[in-house]
Every structure is written in structure tokens, then in C-alpha cells.
Coordinates of all heavy atoms in Angstrom, one line a residue:
L455 N 0.8 -1.2 0.0 CA 0.0 0.0 0.0 C 0.9 1.3 0.0 O 0.7 2.2 -0.8 CB -0.9 0.0 1.2 CG -2.1 1.0 1.2 CD1 -3.0 0.8 0.1 CD2 -2.8 1.0 2.6
D456 N 1.8 1.4 0.9 CA 2.6 2.6 1.1 C 3.4 2.9 -0.2 O 3.5 4.1 -0.6 CB 3.5 2.5 2.3 CG 2.7 2.5 3.6 OD1 1.6 2.9 3.6 OD2 3.3 2.0 4.6
A457 N 3.9 1.9 -0.8 CA 4.8 2.1 -2.0 C 4.0 2.4 -3.3 O 4.6 2.9 -4.2 CB 5.7 0.9 -2.2
N458 N 2.7 2.1 -3.3 CA 2.0 2.2 -4.6 C 0.8 3.1 -4.5 O 0.1 3.2 -5.5 CB 1.6 0.8 -5.0 CG 2.8 -0.1 -5.4 OD1 3.4 0.0 -6.5 ND2 3.2 -0.9 -4.5
T459 N 0.5 3.7 -3.4 CA -0.7 4.5 -3.3 C -0.4 5.8 -2.7 O 0.6 6.0 -2.0 CB -1.9 3.8 -2.6 OG1 -1.4 3.6 -1.2 CG2 -2.2 2.4 -3.2
S460 N -1.3 6.7 -2.8 CA -1.3 8.0 -2.1 C -2.7 8.6 -2.1 O -3.6 8.1 -2.8 CB -0.3 9.0 -2.8 OG -0.2 10.1 -2.0
T461 N -2.9 9.6 -1.3 CA -4.2 10.2 -1.2 C -4.4 11.5 -2.0 O -3.4 12.3 -2.1 CB -4.5 10.6 0.3 OG1 -4.4 9.5 1.1 CG2 -5.9 11.2 0.5
C462 N -5.5 11.6 -2.7 CA -5.8 12.8 -3.5 C -6.0 13.9 -2.5 O -6.9 13.8 -1.6 CB -7.0 12.6 -4.4 SG -7.6 14.1 -5.1
F463 N -5.3 15.0 -2.6 CA -5.4 16.1 -1.6 C -6.7 16.9 -1.8 O -7.1 17.6 -0.8 CB -4.2 17.1 -1.7 CG -4.3 18.1 -2.8 CD1 -4.8 19.4 -2.5 CD2 -3.9 17.8 -4.1 CE1 -4.8 20.3 -3.5 CE2 -4.0 18.8 -5.1 CZ -4.5 20.0 -4.8
L464 N -7.4 16.7 -2.9 CA -8.7 17.4 -3.0 C -9.9 16.6 -2.5 O -10.9 17.2 -2.1 CB -8.9 17.7 -4.5 CG -8.0 18.7 -5.2 CD1 -8.3 18.7 -6.7 CD2 -8.2 20.1 -4.5
T465 N -9.8 15.3 -2.5 CA -10.9 14.4 -2.1 C -10.6 13.5 -0.9 O -11.5 12.9 -0.4 CB -11.4 13.6 -3.3 OG1 -10.3 12.6 -3.6 CG2 -11.8 14.4 -4.5
D466 N -9.3 13.3 -0.6 CA -8.9 12.4 0.5 C -9.2 10.9 0.1 O -9.1 10.0 0.9 CB -9.6 12.7 1.8 CG -9.1 13.9 2.4 OD1 -7.9 14.3 2.2 OD2 -9.9 14.6 3.2
E467 N -9.4 10.6 -1.2 CA -9.6 9.3 -1.7 C -8.2 8.6 -1.9 O -7.3 9.3 -2.4 CB -10.4 9.2 -3.0 CG -11.8 9.6 -2.8 CD -12.6 9.5 -4.1 OE1 -12.0 10.0 -5.2 OE2 -13.7 9.0 -4.1
L468 N -8.1 7.3 -1.6 CA -6.9 6.6 -1.8 C -6.8 6.1 -3.3 O -7.7 5.5 -3.8 CB -6.9 5.4 -0.9 CG -5.5 4.7 -0.7 CD1 -4.4 5.6 -0.2 CD2 -5.7 3.4 0.1
W469 N -5.7 6.5 -3.9 CA -5.6 6.2 -5.4 C -4.2 5.5 -5.6 O -3.3 5.6 -4.8 CB -5.5 7.5 -6.2 CG -6.9 8.0 -6.6 CD1 -7.9 8.5 -5.8 CD2 -7.4 8.0 -7.9 NE1 -9.0 8.9 -6.5 CE2 -8.7 8.6 -7.8 CE3 -6.9 7.6 -9.1 CZ2 -9.5 8.7 -8.9 CZ3 -7.7 7.8 -10.3 CH2 -9.0 8.3 -10.1
L470 N -4.2 4.8 -6.7 CA -2.9 4.2 -7.2 C -2.0 5.4 -7.5 O -2.4 6.3 -8.2 CB -3.1 3.3 -8.4 CG -3.7 1.9 -8.2 CD1 -3.8 1.2 -9.5 CD2 -2.8 1.1 -7.2
L471 N -0.8 5.3 -7.1 CA 0.2 6.4 -7.3 C 0.4 6.7 -8.7 O 0.5 7.8 -9.2 CB 1.5 6.0 -6.6 CG 2.6 7.1 -6.5 CD1 2.0 8.3 -5.7 CD2 3.8 6.6 -5.8
E472 N 0.4 5.6 -9.6 CA 0.7 5.8 -11.0 C -0.4 6.6 -11.7 O -0.2 7.1 -12.8 CB 0.9 4.5 -11.7 CG -0.3 3.6 -11.6 CD 0.0 2.2 -12.2 OE1 1.1 1.6 -12.0 OE2 -1.0 1.6 -12.8
D473 N -1.6 6.7 -11.1 CA -2.7 7.4 -11.8 C -2.9 8.8 -11.2 O -3.8 9.5 -11.7 CB -4.0 6.6 -11.7 CG -3.9 5.3 -12.5 OD1 -3.2 5.3 -13.5 OD2 -4.6 4.3 -12.1
L474 N -2.2 9.2 -10.2 CA -2.3 10.5 -9.7 C -1.5 11.6 -10.5 O -0.5 11.2 -11.1 CB -1.9 10.6 -8.2 CG -2.8 9.8 -7.2 CD1 -2.1 9.7 -5.8 CD2 -4.1 10.6 -7.1
I475 N -1.9 12.8 -10.4 CA -1.3 13.9 -11.2 C -0.6 14.9 -10.2 O -1.2 15.3 -9.2 CB -2.3 14.6 -12.0 CG1 -2.9 13.6 -13.1 CG2 -1.7 15.9 -12.7 CD1 -4.1 14.2 -13.9
V476 N 0.6 15.3 -10.5 CA 1.3 16.2 -9.7 C 0.8 17.7 -10.1 O 0.9 18.0 -11.2 CB 2.8 16.1 -9.9 CG1 3.6 17.2 -9.1 CG2 3.3 14.7 -9.6
V477 N 0.4 18.4 -9.1 CA 0.0 19.8 -9.3 C 1.1 20.7 -8.9 O 1.7 20.6 -7.8 CB -1.3 20.1 -8.4 CG1 -1.7 21.6 -8.6 CG2 -2.4 19.2 -8.8
Q478 N 1.5 21.6 -9.9 CA 2.6 22.5 -9.7 C 2.1 23.8 -9.1 O 1.0 24.2 -9.3 CB 3.4 22.7 -11.0 CG 3.9 21.4 -11.7 CD 5.0 20.8 -10.8 OE1 5.5 21.4 -9.8 NE2 5.3 19.6 -11.2
P479 N 2.9 24.6 -8.4 CA 4.3 24.2 -8.0 C 4.5 23.5 -6.7 O 5.6 23.3 -6.2 CB 4.9 25.6 -8.0 CG 3.8 26.5 -7.4 CD 2.6 26.0 -8.0
T480 N 3.3 23.2 -6.1 CA 3.4 22.6 -4.7 C 3.8 21.2 -4.7 O 4.3 20.7 -3.7 CB 2.0 22.8 -4.0 OG1 1.0 22.0 -4.8 CG2 1.5 24.2 -4.0
G481 N 3.6 20.5 -5.8 CA 3.9 19.0 -5.8 C 2.9 18.2 -5.2 O 3.1 17.0 -5.0
E482 N 1.7 18.7 -4.9 CA 0.6 17.9 -4.3 C 0.1 17.0 -5.4 O 0.1 17.3 -6.6 CB -0.5 18.9 -3.8 CG 0.0 19.7 -2.6 CD -1.1 20.7 -2.2 OE1 -1.4 21.6 -3.0 OE2 -1.6 20.6 -1.1
L483 N -0.5 15.9 -4.9 CA -1.1 14.8 -5.8 C -2.6 14.9 -5.8 O -3.2 14.9 -4.8 CB -0.6 13.4 -5.3 CG 0.9 13.2 -5.4 CD1 1.3 11.8 -4.8 CD2 1.5 13.3 -6.8
A484 N -3.1 14.9 -7.0 CA -4.6 14.9 -7.2 C -5.0 13.9 -8.2 O -4.2 13.6 -9.2 CB -5.0 16.3 -7.6
S485 N -6.2 13.4 -8.1 CA -6.8 12.4 -9.1 C -7.2 13.2 -10.3 O -7.7 14.4 -10.2 CB -7.9 11.7 -8.4 OG -9.1 12.5 -8.3
P486 N -7.2 12.6 -11.4 CA -7.7 13.2 -12.7 C -9.2 13.6 -12.6 O -9.6 14.6 -13.1 CB -7.4 12.2 -13.8 CG -7.2 10.9 -13.1 CD -6.6 11.2 -11.7
D487 N -9.9 12.8 -11.9 CA -11.4 13.0 -11.7 C -11.6 14.3 -10.9 O -12.4 15.2 -11.3 CB -12.1 11.9 -11.0 CG -12.1 10.6 -11.8 OD1 -11.8 10.7 -13.0 OD2 -12.4 9.6 -11.2
A488 N -10.8 14.5 -9.8 CA -11.0 15.7 -9.0 C -10.5 16.9 -9.7 O -11.2 18.0 -9.6 CB -10.1 15.5 -7.7
L489 N -9.5 16.9 -10.5 CA -9.0 18.0 -11.3 C -10.0 18.4 -12.3 O -10.2 19.6 -12.6 CB -7.6 17.7 -11.9 CG -6.5 17.6 -10.9 CD1 -5.2 17.2 -11.6 CD2 -6.2 19.0 -10.2
D490 N -10.6 17.4 -13.0 CA -11.6 17.7 -14.0 C -12.8 18.4 -13.5 O -13.5 19.2 -14.1 CB -12.0 16.4 -14.7 CG -10.9 15.9 -15.7 OD1 -10.0 16.7 -16.0 OD2 -10.9 14.7 -16.0
E491 N -13.1 18.1 -12.2 CA -14.3 18.7 -11.6 C -14.1 20.0 -10.9 O -15.1 20.7 -10.5 CB -14.9 17.6 -10.6 CG -15.4 16.4 -11.3 CD -15.9 15.3 -10.3 OE1 -15.8 15.6 -9.1 OE2 -16.3 14.2 -10.8
D492 N -12.9 20.4 -10.7 CA -12.6 21.6 -9.9 C -12.0 22.7 -10.9 O -10.9 22.6 -11.4 CB -11.5 21.3 -8.8 CG -11.4 22.4 -7.8 OD1 -11.6 23.6 -8.2 OD2 -11.0 22.1 -6.6
D493 N -12.8 23.7 -11.0 CA -12.4 24.8 -12.0 C -11.2 25.6 -11.5 O -10.7 26.4 -12.3 CB -13.6 25.7 -12.2 CG -14.8 25.0 -13.0 OD1 -14.5 24.0 -13.7 OD2 -15.9 25.5 -12.8

């Protein structure tokens, strides 16, 4: 779990690390679904 997942900082949902997106310049991780829904 620890090596392959992380939490989306917008929704607190647990996601596979490989599918999360890095938001610049903070480096926070967000899911593609959350980013698409947040203007």
C-alpha cells in the first residue's frame, strides 16, 4: 500500500500512485477526476 498509493489532496480518496497527477508548483497529488471537476 505505502509504496504504490497516495491520497488525493482534493478528495482524500486513496488512489494508485501511478494514476495521480502532480499539481505544480506545490507538488501535491490529485486524481484526474478531482482536477476535471474543480475549476
